[in-house]
Amino acid sequence: RQLIIPVLPNLIDSVMHVMEMVGNGETFAALEELITRFPEEVAPHGARIGGSLCTKVTELISRYTTHPGESEAAALALSAAFPALIEILQALRESPQVFEALEGPLITLLQRVLS
């Protein structure tokens, strides 16, 4: 734990970069694991992580619904993305200002889910 905390911001950046490029279940699971194990340390990065997760989930939903050939891969990625999103929201529950920053991306995601 003490070895990871000093490099956690760089680790988050690396995982998020891979998530944006690939967006598969493993990257979401890795991000979820970081959030679960280091909620207080991840919280300062919460708006960026949550916003990126919302954007990526919205993209995956679009891919799932518009590209039938890719729907299985998108569904698998989504099954890992939602727990990561829930985990970051739980880690940020004591930070209402971050929720305000996430309001736009969350509303966009909810509109896409409900459409």
Side-chain angles (χ1 to χ4, degrees):
R1 181 169 175 84
Q2 291 181 6
L3 295 173
I4 294 176
I5 290 175
V7 297
L8 191 59
N10 293 337
L11 189 55
I12 290 169
D13 288 341
S14 296
V15 172
M16 296 221 7
H17 178 72
V18 172
M19 179 190 73
E20 290 169 10
M21 299 296 291
V22 180
N24 63 16
E26 288 83 9
T27 56
F28 294 118
L31 188 57
E32 180 186 4
E33 188 67 23
L34 289 174
I35 298 164
T36 300
R37 290 183 185 250
F38 305 99
E40 295 86 21
E41 294 82 4
V42 170
H45 309 277
R48 183 170 56 99
I49 295 170
S52 292
L53 278 168
C54 287
T55 300
K56 195 62 179 179
V57 168
T58 302
E59 290 172 11
L60 286 168
I61 291 169
S62 293
R63 195 169 89 200
Y64 180 78
T65 57
T66 59
H67 296 88
E70 299 178 24
S71 63
E72 185 176 337
L76 288 171
L78 282 168
S79 70
F82 277 111
L85 182 57
I86 290 166
E87 197 63 40
I88 192 66
L89 292 174
Q90 288 177 338
L92 299 172
R93 66 181 168 263
E94 301 297 326
S95 304
Q97 70 280 5
V98 177
F99 275 104
E100 289 177 22
L102 287 175
E103 185 176 324
L106 283 169
I107 288 173
T108 301
L109 173 59
L110 289 173
Q111 287 172 332
R112 184 66 181 123
V113 167
L114 297 173
S115 65

